[in-house]
Amino acid sequence: MGAALPLGDPAPPSGALPDDLDIDGGADFGVYLHVPFCRVRCGYCDFNTYTATELRGARQDAYADEVLREIALSREVLAARAPLRPAQTVFFGGGTPTLLPAGDLARMLEGVRGAFGLATDAEVTVEANPDTVTPELALALAEAGVTRLSIGMQSAVPHVLAALDRTHDPSNVGTAVAAARAAGMDVSVDLIYGAPGESLADWEESVRTAMSLAPDHISAYALIVEDGTQLARQIRRGEVPAPDDDLQADMYELVDDLLAAGGFGWYEVSNWARTPAHRSRHNLAYWRGTDWWGYGPGAHSHVAGLRWWNVRHPAAYAQRLADSSSPAAGRERPDEAARRLEDVLLRSRIAEGVAVSELEGEGRHAVASLIADGLIDGAAAVRGRVVLTRRGRLLADAVVRALTA
């Protein structure tokens, strides 16, 4: 059911923002809508999600109305502090958003539109399990204003899907892509590499299968073993092997080679797009540190350097809103030095990089040695930007530590 919430200061029941928060009325504003429902729990998953037996007092059929209450509250909170901004991006994540009826997702999107407005070119993404996507669902989403479907493919190889506890039919990925295309939406597919028993040949089959579907965007994430998950327990008991770092590095190099040859451009450590226009603007907003409001249990928000997070369980979330209170559980406001550090950490992982002039102390001095080690692009550094090479992407955490020393 997800990791524990971070520590922080208590959030006020009203949800009011600090009086001295300096909100930039010209900054981009995004919306994240968390749908915490899943039919089954995947063994590797650490997200804040719940199966039917875990809801304990929460109702899936009432969820859209609860989110609409939070949207209304957020509008009051933001309008009290600054002019309202239209949403540039909206992202329905989960969980499995497409477990809800298309009409519920449409009502939630209409709630965002009514509260803030949508930019004329707004990117609106819905994550989907392949088994839940039908032509009728895709058409209903597109008619509601959804522009992009992100399909959880994960693998094309049955034994790899089984190792990940994924239950969808691999053939339904193509069906879902076709349905989204017919409805006029852009398409992204998500892959995971490094599952127990997955070979390099298995991974190549999955990547080539994903490419054969001609999506606009592909995400490829290394499997990470999170504490508290079923997979972590299986590894601890010796039932399955832990991910092999060297094999995962080979898998990353393979997907990068295949996607580059297939016309996809890398733009974030784990993401490639057919063209710059097909990059996920919503995810880039996170890396660039812009403002967004997250709705739903456990959702996180960020406005002008203030971060806060909602209570985790759907029943607690529903009760807060029924009591006309904010569902926020806590918040934090890092100081200027911490924000600069975080900015370098985040933006150094995307293709546009971070300005060398923004580095301080040992971080700036480390640039030359990182170039010599082949971890950052020397030509980009001459132009004043820190941009990771592929080797740098493989060792991104080490690069970030050097840049923020």
Side-chain angles (χ1 to χ4, degrees):
M1 287 180 282
L5 290 172
L7 299 175
D9 298 323
S14 67
L17 303 178
D19 291 338
D20 62 344
L21 196 66
D22 185 15
I23 300 175
D24 180 358
D28 283 353
F29 177 68
V31 167
Y32 173 75
L33 296 148
H34 187 61
V35 179
F37 311 118
C38 284
R39 285 179 179 160
V40 297
R41 175 168 300 285
C42 298
Y44 65 89
C45 182
D46 187 44
F47 296 159
N48 189 46
T49 62
Y50 300 81
T51 61
T53 59
E54 297 168 333
L55 287 177
R56 299 194 309 274
R59 288 175 46 198
Q60 190 167 313
D61 61 354
Y63 186 69
D65 289 326
E66 292 158 4
V67 170
L68 289 172
R69 291 190 192 103
E70 188 184 4
I71 291 172
L73 183 150
S74 70
R75 186 186 190 284
E76 292 181 9
V77 167
L78 288 171
R81 293 302 324 283
L84 295 174
R85 294 166 282 172
Q88 301 290 327
T89 64
V90 179
F91 195 102
F92 289 84
T96 309
T98 47
L99 280 184
L100 292 181
D104 282 3
L105 299 177
R107 286 199 298 125
M108 292 158 69
L109 180 57
E110 184 57 34
V112 172
R113 184 183 286 110
F116 306 107
L118 292 179
T120 54
D121 63 343
E123 173 194 273
V124 182
T125 302
V126 171
E127 288 186 333
N129 180 302
D131 286 350
T132 64
V133 179
T134 63
E136 294 77 17
L137 174 81
L139 185 60
L141 293 177
E143 289 177 343
V146 176
T147 65
R148 186 173 178 271
L149 201 67
S150 181
I151 299 169
M153 175 178 172
Q154 317 311 357
S155 175
V157 181
H159 80 84
V160 176
L161 289 172
L164 294 170
D165 293 320
R166 299 290 293 186
T167 59
H168 69 260
D169 182 341
S171 67
N172 283 342
V173 177
T175 302
V177 170
R181 288 289 192 215
M185 289 186 282
D186 288 346
V187 176
S188 176
V189 296
D190 290 351
L191 299 171
I192 293 178
Y193 58 91
E198 183 178 30
S199 68
L200 194 61
D202 291 332
W203 175 235
E204 181 172 355
E205 179 180 346
S206 292
V207 176
R208 290 191 181 278
T209 300
M211 293 173 64
S212 74
L213 300 172
D216 305 294
H217 183 281
I218 292 179
S219 299
Y221 298 105
L223 178 65
I224 297 174
V225 180
E226 302 285 0
D227 290 341
T229 61
Q230 179 180 316
L231 178 61
R233 293 189 290 272
Q234 289 174 316
I235 291 172
R236 190 168 56 248
R237 294 192 296 261
E239 297 170 3
V240 298
D244 182 297
D245 291 342
D246 290 336
L247 178 57
Q248 284 192 324
D250 290 341
M251 289 175 165
Y252 185 88
E253 291 182 339
L254 177 64
V255 69
D256 193 45
D257 284 339
L258 291 174
L259 292 178
F264 288 83
W266 167 78
Y267 73 95
E268 189 277 325
V269 168
S270 301
N271 289 278
W272 293 258
R274 182 75 68 183
T275 70
H278 289 117
R279 295 173 179 176
S280 171
R281 289 163 48 200
H282 186 85
N283 285 337
L284 279 172
Y286 293 151
W287 295 108
R288 291 168 176 160
T290 59
D291 293 347
W292 76 89
W293 195 298
Y295 300 91
H300 287 233
S301 303
H302 171 266
V303 172
L306 180 75
R307 290 193 291 258
W308 66 93
W309 44 89
N310 286 348
V311 293
R312 290 178 61 246
H313 197 277
Y317 174 78
Q319 188 59 56
R320 290 280 191 101
L321 291 162
D323 293 339
S324 299
S325 294
S326 166
R331 67 189 190 186
E332 63 182 4
R333 192 176 183 182
D335 61 24
E336 189 63 32
R339 290 176 62 184
R340 283 200 304 271
L341 186 71
E342 183 178 84
D343 193 47
V344 171
L345 183 152
L346 294 174
R347 289 198 291 124
S348 62
R349 299 174 66 95
I350 58 180
E352 66 195 48
V354 62
V356 175
S357 61
E358 295 182 37
L359 304 179
E360 297 183 347
E362 293 302 317
R364 187 175 297 190
H365 296 314
V367 170
S369 62
L370 291 169
I371 293 172
D373 291 339
L375 299 176
I376 65 175
D377 186 323
V382 169
R383 298 191 299 271
R385 308 294 297 180
V386 172
V387 177
L388 299 177
T389 62
R390 184 165 74 181
R391 185 164 184 268
R393 287 180 254 151
L394 283 165
L395 299 171
D397 290 341
V399 175
V400 166
R401 284 195 296 271
L403 294 175
T404 56

